[in-house]
Coordinates of all heavy atoms in Angstrom, one line a residue:
A177 N 97.8 91.5 115.5 CA 98.9 92.3 114.9 C 99.8 92.7 116.0 O 100.7 92.1 116.4 CB 98.3 93.4 114.1
G178 N 99.5 93.9 116.6 CA 100.4 94.4 117.7 C 101.6 95.1 117.2 O 101.8 95.3 116.0
G179 N 102.4 95.6 118.0 CA 103.6 96.3 117.7 C 103.3 97.7 117.2 O 102.2 98.2 117.3
N180 N 104.3 98.4 116.8 CA 104.2 99.8 116.4 C 103.8 99.9 114.9 O 104.5 99.4 114.1 CB 105.6 100.5 116.6 CG 105.5 102.0 116.2 OD1 104.5 102.5 115.8 ND2 106.6 102.7 116.4
T181 N 102.6 100.4 114.7 CA 102.1 100.5 113.3 C 102.1 101.9 112.9 O 101.5 102.3 111.9 CB 100.7 99.9 113.1 OG1 99.9 100.5 114.1 CG2 100.8 98.4 113.4
D182 N 102.8 102.8 113.6 CA 102.9 104.2 113.2 C 104.2 104.4 112.4 O 105.3 104.3 112.9 CB 103.0 105.1 114.5 CG 103.1 106.6 114.2 OD1 103.0 107.0 113.0 OD2 103.4 107.3 115.1
P183 N 104.0 104.7 111.1 CA 105.2 104.8 110.2 C 105.9 106.2 110.3 O 106.9 106.4 109.6 CB 104.5 104.7 108.8 CG 103.2 105.3 109.0 CD 102.7 104.9 110.4
S184 N 105.5 107.1 111.2 CA 106.1 108.4 111.3 C 107.6 108.4 111.7 O 108.3 109.3 111.4 CB 105.4 109.3 112.3 OG 105.5 108.7 113.6
F185 N 108.1 107.3 112.2 CA 109.5 107.2 112.6 C 110.4 106.8 111.4 O 111.6 106.9 111.5 CB 109.7 106.2 113.8 CG 109.5 104.8 113.4 CD1 110.5 104.0 113.0 CD2 108.2 104.2 113.4 CE1 110.3 102.6 112.6 CE2 108.0 102.9 113.1 CZ 109.0 102.1 112.7
L186 N 109.8 106.5 110.3 CA 110.6 106.1 109.1 C 111.0 107.3 108.3 O 110.3 108.3 108.3 CB 109.8 105.1 108.2 CG 109.5 103.8 108.9 CD1 108.5 103.0 108.0 CD2 110.7 103.0 109.2
D187 N 112.2 107.2 107.7 CA 112.6 108.4 106.9 C 112.0 108.3 105.5 O 111.2 107.4 105.2 CB 114.1 108.4 106.8 CG 114.8 107.3 106.1 OD1 114.1 106.7 105.2 OD2 115.9 107.0 106.4
A188 N 112.3 109.2 104.7 CA 111.7 109.4 103.3 C 112.0 108.2 102.4 O 111.4 108.1 101.4 CB 112.1 110.7 102.7
Y189 N 113.0 107.4 102.7 CA 113.5 106.4 101.8 C 112.9 105.0 102.2 O 113.3 104.0 101.6 CB 115.0 106.3 101.8 CG 115.6 107.6 101.3 CD1 116.1 108.5 102.2 CD2 115.5 108.0 99.9 CE1 116.6 109.7 101.8 CE2 116.0 109.2 99.5 CZ 116.6 110.1 100.4 OH 117.1 111.3 100.0
A190 N 112.1 104.9 103.2 CA 111.5 103.7 103.6 C 110.0 103.7 103.5 O 109.4 104.7 103.6 CB 112.0 103.4 105.0
R191 N 109.4 102.5 103.4 CA 108.0 102.4 103.5 C 107.6 101.3 104.5 O 108.3 100.3 104.6 CB 107.4 101.9 102.1 CG 107.7 102.9 101.0 CD 106.9 104.2 101.2 NE 107.1 105.1 100.0 CZ 108.1 105.9 99.9 NH1 109.0 106.1 100.9 NH2 108.2 106.7 98.9
W192 N 106.5 101.5 105.2 CA 106.0 100.6 106.2 C 104.7 100.0 105.7 O 103.8 100.7 105.3 CB 105.8 101.4 107.5 CG 105.1 100.7 108.6 CD1 103.8 100.5 108.8 CD2 105.8 100.0 109.7 NE1 103.6 99.8 109.9 CE2 104.8 99.4 110.5 CE3 107.1 99.8 110.0 CZ2 105.1 98.7 111.6 CZ3 107.4 99.1 111.1 CH2 106.4 98.6 111.9
F193 N 104.7 98.7 105.6 CA 103.5 98.0 105.2 C 103.0 97.1 106.3 O 103.7 96.3 106.8 CB 103.7 97.2 103.9 CG 104.0 98.0 102.7 CD1 105.4 98.2 102.3 CD2 103.0 98.5 101.9 CE1 105.7 98.9 101.2 CE2 103.3 99.3 100.8 CZ 104.6 99.5 100.4
C194 N 101.7 97.2 106.6 CA 101.1 96.3 107.6 C 100.1 95.5 106.8 O 99.0 95.9 106.5 CB 100.4 97.2 108.7 SG 99.8 96.2 110.0
V195 N 100.5 94.2 106.5 CA 99.7 93.3 105.8 C 99.7 91.9 106.5 O 100.6 91.6 107.3 CB 100.2 93.2 104.3 CG1 100.0 94.5 103.6 CG2 101.6 92.6 104.2
N196 N 98.8 91.1 106.1 CA 98.7 89.8 106.6 C 99.7 88.9 105.8 O 99.5 88.7 104.6 CB 97.3 89.2 106.5 CG 97.1 87.8 106.9 OD1 98.1 87.1 107.1 ND2 95.9 87.4 107.1
I197 N 100.8 88.5 106.4 CA 101.8 87.8 105.7 C 101.4 86.4 105.2 O 102.1 85.8 104.3 CB 103.2 87.7 106.4 CG1 103.1 86.8 107.6 CG2 103.7 89.1 106.8 CD1 104.5 86.5 108.2
T198 N 100.3 85.9 105.7 CA 99.8 84.7 105.1 C 99.0 84.9 103.8 O 98.7 83.9 103.1 CB 98.9 83.9 106.1 OG1 97.7 84.7 106.4 CG2 99.6 83.7 107.5
D199 N 98.8 86.1 103.4 CA 98.1 86.4 102.2 C 99.2 86.8 101.1 O 99.7 87.9 101.1 CB 97.2 87.6 102.4 CG 96.4 88.0 101.2 OD1 96.7 87.6 100.1 OD2 95.4 88.8 101.4
A200 N 99.5 85.8 100.3 CA 100.6 85.9 99.3 C 100.3 87.1 98.3 O 101.2 87.8 98.0 CB 100.7 84.6 98.5
S201 N 99.1 87.3 98.0 CA 98.7 88.4 97.0 C 99.0 89.8 97.7 O 99.5 90.7 97.1 CB 97.3 88.4 96.6 OG 97.1 87.2 95.8
A202 N 98.6 89.9 99.0 CA 98.8 91.1 99.7 C 100.3 91.4 99.8 O 100.8 92.6 99.7 CB 98.2 91.1 101.1
I203 N 101.1 90.4 100.1 CA 102.6 90.6 100.2 C 103.1 91.0 98.9 O 103.9 92.0 98.8 CB 103.2 89.2 100.7 CG1 102.9 88.9 102.1 CG2 104.7 89.3 100.5 CD1 103.4 90.0 103.1
K204 N 102.8 90.3 97.8 CA 103.3 90.7 96.5 C 102.9 92.1 96.1 O 103.7 92.9 95.6 CB 102.7 89.8 95.4 CG 103.4 88.4 95.4 CD 102.8 87.5 94.4 CE 103.4 86.1 94.5 NZ 102.8 85.1 93.6
N205 N 101.6 92.5 96.4 CA 101.2 93.9 96.1 C 102.0 94.9 96.8 O 102.4 95.9 96.3 CB 99.7 94.0 96.4 CG 98.8 93.3 95.4 OD1 99.2 93.0 94.3 ND2 97.6 93.0 95.8
A206 N 102.2 94.7 98.1 CA 102.9 95.6 98.9 C 104.4 95.7 98.5 O 104.9 96.8 98.3 CB 102.9 95.2 100.4
I207 N 105.0 94.6 98.2 CA 106.4 94.6 97.8 C 106.6 95.1 96.4 O 107.5 96.0 96.1 CB 107.1 93.3 98.0 CG1 107.2 93.0 99.5 CG2 108.5 93.2 97.4 CD1 107.7 91.6 99.9
F208 N 105.7 94.7 95.5 CA 105.8 95.1 94.1 C 105.5 96.6 93.9 O 106.0 97.3 93.0 CB 104.9 94.3 93.2 CG 105.4 92.9 93.0 CD1 106.4 92.3 93.7 CD2 104.7 92.1 92.1 CE1 106.8 91.0 93.5 CE2 105.1 90.7 91.9 CZ 106.1 90.2 92.6
S209 N 104.6 97.1 94.8 CA 104.2 98.5 94.7 C 105.4 99.5 95.0 O 105.4 100.6 94.4 CB 103.0 98.9 95.6 OG 103.4 98.9 96.9
F210 N 106.3 99.1 95.8 CA 107.4 99.9 96.2 C 108.7 99.5 95.5 O 109.6 100.3 95.2 CB 107.6 99.9 97.7 CG 108.7 100.8 98.2 CD1 108.8 102.1 97.8 CD2 109.6 100.3 99.1 CE1 109.8 103.0 98.3 CE2 110.7 101.1 99.6 CZ 110.7 102.4 99.2
H211 N 108.8 98.3 95.1 CA 110.0 97.7 94.5 C 111.3 98.0 95.2 O 112.2 98.7 94.7 CB 110.1 98.1 93.0 CG 110.7 97.1 92.1 ND1 112.1 97.0 92.1 CD2 110.2 96.2 91.3 CE1 112.4 96.0 91.2 NE2 111.3 95.5 90.7
P212 N 111.4 97.6 96.5 CA 112.5 98.0 97.3 C 113.8 97.2 96.9 O 113.7 96.1 96.3 CB 112.1 97.6 98.7 CG 111.1 96.4 98.5 CD 110.4 96.8 97.2
D213 N 114.9 97.7 97.3 CA 116.2 97.0 97.2 C 116.3 96.0 98.3 O 116.9 95.0 98.2 CB 117.3 98.0 97.2 CG 117.3 98.9 96.0 OD1 117.0 98.5 94.9 OD2 117.6 100.1 96.2
I214 N 115.8 96.4 99.5 CA 115.9 95.6 100.7 C 114.6 95.5 101.4 O 113.9 96.5 101.5 CB 117.0 96.2 101.7 CG1 118.3 96.3 101.1 CG2 117.0 95.4 103.0 CD1 119.3 97.1 101.8
V215 N 114.2 94.4 101.9 CA 113.0 94.2 102.7 C 113.5 93.6 104.1 O 114.3 92.7 104.2 CB 112.1 93.1 102.1 CG1 110.9 92.8 103.0 CG2 111.6 93.7 100.7
V216 N 113.0 94.3 105.1 CA 113.3 93.8 106.5 C 112.0 93.1 107.0 O 111.0 93.7 107.1 CB 113.7 95.0 107.4 CG1 113.9 94.5 108.8 CG2 114.9 95.7 106.8
H217 N 112.1 91.8 107.3 CA 111.0 91.0 107.7 C 111.1 90.8 109.2 O 112.0 90.2 109.7 CB 111.1 89.7 107.0 CG 110.2 88.6 107.5 ND1 109.0 88.8 108.2 CD2 110.3 87.3 107.3 CE1 108.4 87.7 108.4 NE2 109.2 86.7 108.0
L218 N 110.1 91.4 109.9 CA 110.1 91.4 111.4 C 108.9 90.6 111.9 O 108.7 90.5 113.1 CB 110.1 92.8 111.9 CG 111.3 93.7 111.5 CD1 111.0 95.1 112.0 CD2 112.6 93.2 112.1
A219 N 108.0 90.2 111.0 CA 106.8 89.5 111.5 C 107.0 88.1 112.0 O 107.8 87.4 111.4 CB 105.8 89.5 110.3
A220 N 106.4 87.7 113.0 CA 106.4 86.4 113.6 C 105.4 86.2 114.7 O 105.0 87.2 115.3 CB 107.8 86.1 114.1
W221 N 105.0 85.0 114.9 CA 104.2 84.7 116.0 C 105.2 84.1 117.0 O 105.7 83.0 116.9 CB 103.1 83.6 115.6 CG 102.1 83.5 116.7 CD1 102.0 84.0 117.9 CD2 100.9 82.7 116.5 NE1 100.9 83.6 118.6 CE2 100.2 82.8 117.7 CE3 100.4 81.9 115.5 CZ2 99.0 82.2 117.9 CZ3 99.2 81.3 115.7 CH2 98.5 81.4 116.9
S222 N 105.4 84.9 118.1 CA 106.5 84.5 119.0 C 106.1 84.2 120.4 O 106.8 84.3 121.3 CB 107.5 85.7 119.0 OG 106.8 86.9 119.5
K223 N 104.9 83.6 120.5 CA 104.4 83.2 121.8 C 104.4 81.7 121.8 O 103.5 81.0 121.4 CB 103.0 83.7 122.1 CG 103.0 85.3 122.2 CD 101.6 85.8 122.4 CE 101.7 87.3 122.5 NZ 100.3 87.9 122.7
P224 N 105.5 81.1 122.3 CA 105.6 79.6 122.3 C 104.4 78.8 122.8 O 104.0 77.8 122.2 CB 106.9 79.3 123.1 CG 107.6 80.6 123.1 CD 106.6 81.7 123.0
N225 N 103.9 79.2 123.9 CA 102.7 78.5 124.5 C 101.5 78.5 123.6 O 100.9 77.5 123.4 CB 102.3 79.1 125.9 CG 103.4 78.8 126.9 OD1 104.2 77.9 126.8 ND2 103.4 79.6 128.0
E226 N 101.2 79.7 122.9 CA 100.1 79.7 122.0 C 100.5 78.9 120.7 O 99.6 78.3 120.2 CB 99.9 81.2 121.6 CG 99.2 82.0 122.7 CD 98.9 83.4 122.3 OE1 98.9 83.7 121.1 OE2 98.7 84.2 123.2
C227 N 101.7 78.9 120.3 CA 102.1 78.2 119.1 C 101.9 76.7 119.3 O 101.6 75.9 118.4 CB 103.6 78.5 118.7 SG 103.8 80.1 118.0
E228 N 102.2 76.2 120.5 CA 102.0 74.8 120.8 C 100.5 74.4 120.7 O 100.2 73.3 120.3 CB 102.5 74.5 122.3 CG 104.0 74.4 122.4 CD 104.6 73.3 121.5 OE1 104.0 72.1 121.5 OE2 105.6 73.5 120.8
V229 N 99.6 75.3 121.1 CA 98.2 75.0 121.0 C 97.6 75.2 119.6 O 96.8 74.5 119.2 CB 97.4 75.9 122.0 CG1 96.0 75.8 121.9 CG2 97.9 75.6 123.5
Q230 N 98.1 76.2 118.9 CA 97.6 76.6 117.6 C 98.7 76.4 116.6 O 99.1 77.3 115.9 CB 97.1 78.0 117.6 CG 96.0 78.2 118.6 CD 95.4 79.6 118.5 OE1 95.1 80.1 117.5 NE2 95.4 80.3 119.7
K231 N 99.1 75.2 116.4 CA 100.3 74.9 115.5 C 100.0 75.2 114.1 O 101.0 75.7 113.4 CB 100.6 73.4 115.7 CG 101.2 73.0 117.0 CD 101.5 71.5 117.1 CE 102.0 71.3 118.6 NZ 102.2 69.9 118.8
D232 N 98.8 75.0 113.6 CA 98.6 75.4 112.2 C 98.7 76.9 111.9 O 99.3 77.3 110.9 CB 97.2 74.9 111.8 CG 97.1 73.4 111.7 OD1 98.2 72.7 111.6 OD2 96.0 72.9 111.7
K233 N 98.1 77.7 112.8 CA 98.3 79.1 112.7 C 99.7 79.6 112.8 O 100.2 80.5 112.1 CB 97.4 79.9 113.7 CG 95.9 79.8 113.4 CD 95.1 80.7 114.4 CE 93.7 80.7 114.0 NZ 92.9 81.6 114.9
C234 N 100.4 79.0 113.7 CA 101.8 79.4 113.9 C 102.6 79.0 112.7 O 103.4 79.8 112.2 CB 102.4 78.6 115.1 SG 104.1 79.0 115.5
H235 N 102.4 77.9 112.1 CA 103.1 77.4 110.9 C 102.7 78.4 109.7 O 103.6 78.8 109.0 CB 102.7 76.0 110.6 CG 103.4 75.5 109.4 ND1 102.9 75.5 108.1 CD2 104.7 74.9 109.2 CE1 103.7 75.0 107.2 NE2 104.8 74.6 107.9
A236 N 101.4 78.8 109.6 CA 101.0 79.6 108.6 C 101.7 81.0 108.6 O 102.2 81.5 107.6 CB 99.5 79.9 108.6
V237 N 101.8 81.5 109.8 CA 102.5 82.8 110.0 C 104.0 82.7 109.8 O 104.7 83.4 109.0 CB 102.1 83.5 111.3 CG1 103.0 84.7 111.6 CG2 100.7 83.8 111.4
N238 N 104.6 81.8 110.6 CA 106.1 81.8 110.7 C 106.8 81.1 109.6 O 107.9 81.5 109.2 CB 106.5 81.1 112.0 CG 106.2 82.0 113.2 OD1 105.8 83.1 113.1 ND2 106.2 81.4 114.4
V239 N 106.1 80.2 108.9 CA 106.7 79.4 107.8 C 106.2 79.9 106.5 O 106.9 80.4 105.6 CB 106.6 77.9 108.0 CG1 107.2 77.2 106.8 CG2 107.2 77.4 109.3
L240 N 104.9 79.7 106.3 CA 104.3 80.1 105.0 C 104.3 81.6 104.7 O 104.5 82.0 103.6 CB 102.8 79.6 104.9 CG 102.7 78.1 105.1 CD1 101.2 77.7 105.0 CD2 103.5 77.3 104.1
G241 N 104.1 82.4 105.8 CA 104.2 83.8 105.6 C 105.6 84.3 105.2 O 105.8 85.1 104.3
T242 N 106.6 83.7 105.9 CA 108.0 84.0 105.5 C 108.2 83.5 104.1 O 108.9 84.3 103.3 CB 108.9 83.3 106.5 OG1 108.7 83.9 107.8 CG2 110.4 83.6 106.1
Q243 N 107.7 82.4 103.7 CA 107.9 81.9 102.3 C 107.3 82.9 101.3 O 107.9 83.2 100.3 CB 107.2 80.6 102.1 CG 107.3 80.0 100.7 CD 106.7 78.6 100.6 OE1 106.4 78.0 101.6 NE2 106.5 78.2 99.4
N244 N 106.1 83.5 101.6 CA 105.5 84.5 100.8 C 106.4 85.7 100.6 O 106.6 86.2 99.5 CB 104.2 85.0 101.3 CG 103.1 83.9 101.3 OD1 103.2 83.0 100.5 ND2 102.1 84.0 102.2
I245 N 107.0 86.2 101.7 CA 107.9 87.3 101.6 C 109.2 86.9 100.8 O 109.6 87.7 99.9 CB 108.3 87.8 103.0 CG1 107.1 88.4 103.7 CG2 109.4 88.8 102.9 CD1 107.3 88.7 105.1
V246 N 109.8 85.8 101.0 CA 110.9 85.3 100.3 C 110.6 85.3 98.8 O 111.4 85.8 98.0 CB 111.4 84.0 100.8 CG1 112.4 83.3 99.8 CG2 112.0 84.1 102.2
E247 N 109.5 84.7 98.4 CA 109.2 84.6 97.0 C 109.0 85.9 96.3 O 109.4 86.2 95.2 CB 108.0 83.7 96.8 CG 108.3 82.2 97.1 CD 107.0 81.3 97.1 OE1 105.9 81.8 96.9 OE2 107.2 80.1 97.3
A248 N 108.3 86.9 97.0 CA 108.1 88.2 96.5 C 109.5 88.9 96.3 O 109.7 89.6 95.3 CB 107.2 89.0 97.4
C249 N 110.3 88.8 97.3 CA 111.7 89.4 97.2 C 112.5 88.8 96.1 O 113.1 89.6 95.3 CB 112.4 89.2 98.5 SG 111.8 90.3 99.9
M250 N 112.4 87.5 95.9 CA 113.1 86.9 94.8 C 112.6 87.4 93.4 O 113.4 87.5 92.5 CB 113.0 85.4 94.9 CG 113.8 84.8 96.1 SD 113.6 83.0 96.3 CE 114.2 82.4 94.8
A251 N 111.3 87.6 93.3 CA 110.7 88.0 92.1 C 111.3 89.4 91.6 O 111.3 89.6 90.4 CB 109.2 88.0 92.2
I252 N 111.6 90.2 92.5 CA 112.1 91.5 92.2 C 113.6 91.7 92.5 O 114.1 92.8 92.4 CB 111.3 92.7 92.8 CG1 111.4 92.6 94.3 CG2 109.9 92.6 92.3 CD1 110.9 93.9 95.0
D253 N 114.3 90.6 92.9 CA 115.7 90.6 93.2 C 116.0 91.6 94.3 O 117.0 92.2 94.3 CB 116.5 90.9 92.0 CG 118.0 90.5 92.1 OD1 118.2 89.5 92.8 OD2 118.9 91.1 91.5
A254 N 115.1 91.6 95.3 CA 115.4 92.4 96.5 C 116.1 91.6 97.6 O 115.9 90.3 97.7 CB 114.1 92.9 97.1
K255 N 117.0 92.2 98.3 CA 117.6 91.5 99.4 C 116.6 91.4 100.6 O 115.8 92.3 100.8 CB 118.9 92.2 99.8 CG 119.9 92.2 98.7 CD 121.2 92.7 99.2 CE 122.3 92.7 98.2 NZ 122.1 92.2 96.9
L256 N 116.7 90.3 101.4 CA 115.8 90.2 102.5 C 116.7 90.1 103.8 O 117.6 89.3 103.9 CB 115.0 88.9 102.3 CG 114.1 88.4 103.5 CD1 113.1 89.5 103.8 CD2 113.5 87.1 103.2
V257 N 116.3 90.9 104.8 CA 116.8 90.8 106.1 C 115.7 90.2 107.0 O 114.7 90.8 107.1 CB 117.2 92.2 106.6 CG1 117.7 92.1 108.1 CG2 118.3 92.9 105.7
F258 N 116.0 89.1 107.5 CA 115.0 88.3 108.3 C 115.5 88.3 109.8 O 116.6 87.9 110.1 CB 114.9 86.9 107.8 CG 114.0 86.0 108.6 CD1 112.7 86.4 108.8 CD2 114.4 84.8 109.0 CE1 111.8 85.6 109.5 CE2 113.6 84.0 109.8 CZ 112.3 84.4 110.0
M259 N 114.7 88.9 110.6 CA 115.1 89.0 112.1 C 114.1 88.3 112.9 O 112.9 88.3 112.7 CB 115.2 90.5 112.4 CG 116.2 91.2 111.5 SD 116.3 93.0 111.9 CE 117.4 92.9 113.2

């Protein structure tokens, strides 16, 4: 995982979810539970050398995980910001 998982920096109008993006059900549950207008997707496996060695895992996170988020956002008509 890594990164900042402390939600205290978010204001009252935002929610922070730390889920495995390769788990479509977990993504749907997180997004559907809050029903946001906008989802900011910041998850990625960004270590090129590791991605070259573990291509399947990299694809699962960066492609399939993003697809899970896109599909959940589309289901509730939420806008997606992908960074």
